[in-house]
């Protein structure tokens, strides 16, 4: 069974440009999460989709970040316009639906974003 | 104070050694606890869950102390392949779902 996939694996852009990251969760996983790791810091939660709905977006840094999950399958995370501090590794994770209970989150390989 | 605190290390230990990591969490309402392993430039992967009664999986033992709000991971007979960063993960019920908080991770380097 295919795991969580992310595209691109690396992205180098200039400040002010737009970048869109994509995540394909494990088939059948209704929960989809975005995380970010800035160099030297912890992995931080950004937001959580349940199917196509945003369950929790309390971790989104600001309105330059827009996440979507149309149709409840893959998700995109767009950063517009990108700033230097947006550099980091963006991880996506997915899990089966199990409200109130923990279901293991499976992580994708991440997208390494560098903003110059 | 950070929600989840770990010593980032690195811990450099010889093969065959026993090494232990601790992690403290600040929210007493935290519900579930895990250790994830992350290899260099790879994604985190679940290593094991942590329970108050203790959880053992081969050379790995995890323990939760709710009274003192810490979890531990013990690795016996360290192998070169154990070299990785070990992430402490704590969850909290948020709107009926489990919200995840990561520690910064403890880097382990097992030396031949």
């Amino acid at each position: 069974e295919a795991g969580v996939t992310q595209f691109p694996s690396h992205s180098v852009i200039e400040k002010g440009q737009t970048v869109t990251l994509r995540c394909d969760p494990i088939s059948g996983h209704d929960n989809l999460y975005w995380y970010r790791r800035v160099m030297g810091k912890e992995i931080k939660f950004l937001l959580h989709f349940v199917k196509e709905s945003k369950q929790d977006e309390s971790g989104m840094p600001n309105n330059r970040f827009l996440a979507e999950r149309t149709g409840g399958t893959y998700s995109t995370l767009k950063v517009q316009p990108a700033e230097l501090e947006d550099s980091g590794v963006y991880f996506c994770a997915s899990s089966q639906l199990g409200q109130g209970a923990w279901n293991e989150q499976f992580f994708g390989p991440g997208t390494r974003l560098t903003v110059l | 104070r950070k929600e989840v605190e770990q010593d980032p290390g690195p811990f450099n230990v010889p093969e065959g050694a026993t090494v232990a990591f601790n992690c403290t969490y600040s929210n007493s309402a935290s519900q579930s606890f895990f250790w994830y392993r992350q290899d260099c430039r790879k994604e985190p992967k679940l290593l094991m869950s942590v329970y108050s009664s203790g959880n053992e999986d081969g050379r790995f033992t995890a323990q939760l102390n709710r009274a003192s709000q810490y979890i531990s991971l013990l690795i016996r007979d360290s192998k070169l392949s154990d070299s990785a960063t070990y992430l402490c993960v704590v969850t909290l019920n948020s709107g009926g779902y489990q919200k995840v908080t990561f520690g910064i991770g403890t880097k382990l380097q097992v030396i031949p």
Side-chain angles (χ1 to χ4, degrees), chain A residues 35 37 40-43 45 48 50 55-56 58 91 99-102 104-105 107-109 112, chain B residues 2 32 34 36 38 41-44 46 87 91 93-100 102-104:
Chain A
Y35 296 91
R37 184 164 199 163
K41 303 284 188 181
E42 302 88 346
I43 296 173
F45 167 82
H48 170 205
V50 177
Q55 170 63 28
D56 181 353
S58 61
F91 288 105
Q99 190 166 3
W102 166 268
E104 180 182 349
Q105 292 188 20
F107 282 77
R112 187 172 297 273
Chain B
K2 290 183 180 179
S32 301
F34 306 90
Y36 269 71
Q38 186 174 22
R41 292 185 174 262
K42 299 286 187 180
E43 69 272 23
L46 180 65
L87 302 167
T91 77
N93 191 308
S94 173
Y97 293 89
Q98 295 293 316
K99 188 168 181 178
V100 171
F102 283 83
I104 197 166

Side-chain angles (χ1 to χ4, degrees), chain A residues 88-108:
Chain A
V89 181
Y90 290 76
F91 288 105
C92 174
S94 72
S95 70
Q96 292 180 325
L97 194 63
Q99 190 166 3
W102 166 268
N103 282 305
E104 180 182 349
Q105 292 188 20
F106 295 85
F107 282 77

Side-chain angles (χ1 to χ4, degrees), chain A residues 5 14-15 38-39 53 57 94 98 100:
Chain A
T5 58
E14 292 188 353
K15 176 182 172 180
V38 172
M39 187 179 293
S53 300
E57 53 182 329
S94 72

Side-chain angles (χ1 to χ4, degrees), chain B residues 13 17 25-27 49 51-53 60 71 77 81 103 111-112:
Chain B
V13 303
Y25 59 95
S26 61
N27 193 327
S49 304
Y51 309 112
S52 297
S53 55
F60 297 80
I71 70 172
D77 188 22
S81 57
I111 304 164

Side-chain angles (χ1 to χ4, degrees), chain B residues 4-66:
Chain B
V4 178
E5 295 219 49
Q6 289 185 259
D7 182 343
F11 284 57
N12 297 312
V13 303
E15 265 187 295
T18 295
V19 61
F21 310 134
N22 283 337
C23 161
T24 59
Y25 59 95
S26 61
N27 193 327
S28 59
S30 297
Q31 291 189 283
S32 301
F33 309 86
F34 306 90
W35 285 101
Y36 269 71
R37 171 189 169 134
Q38 186 174 22
D39 292 289
C40 187
R41 292 185 174 262
K42 299 286 187 180
E43 69 272 23
K45 291 184 179 179
L46 180 65
L47 177 65
M48 59 198 305
S49 304
V50 190
Y51 309 112
S52 297
S53 55
N55 187 16
E56 187 172 320
D57 183 3
R59 298 180 293 106
F60 297 80
T61 301
Q63 189 80 46
L64 164 65
N65 185 318
R66 281 194 181 272

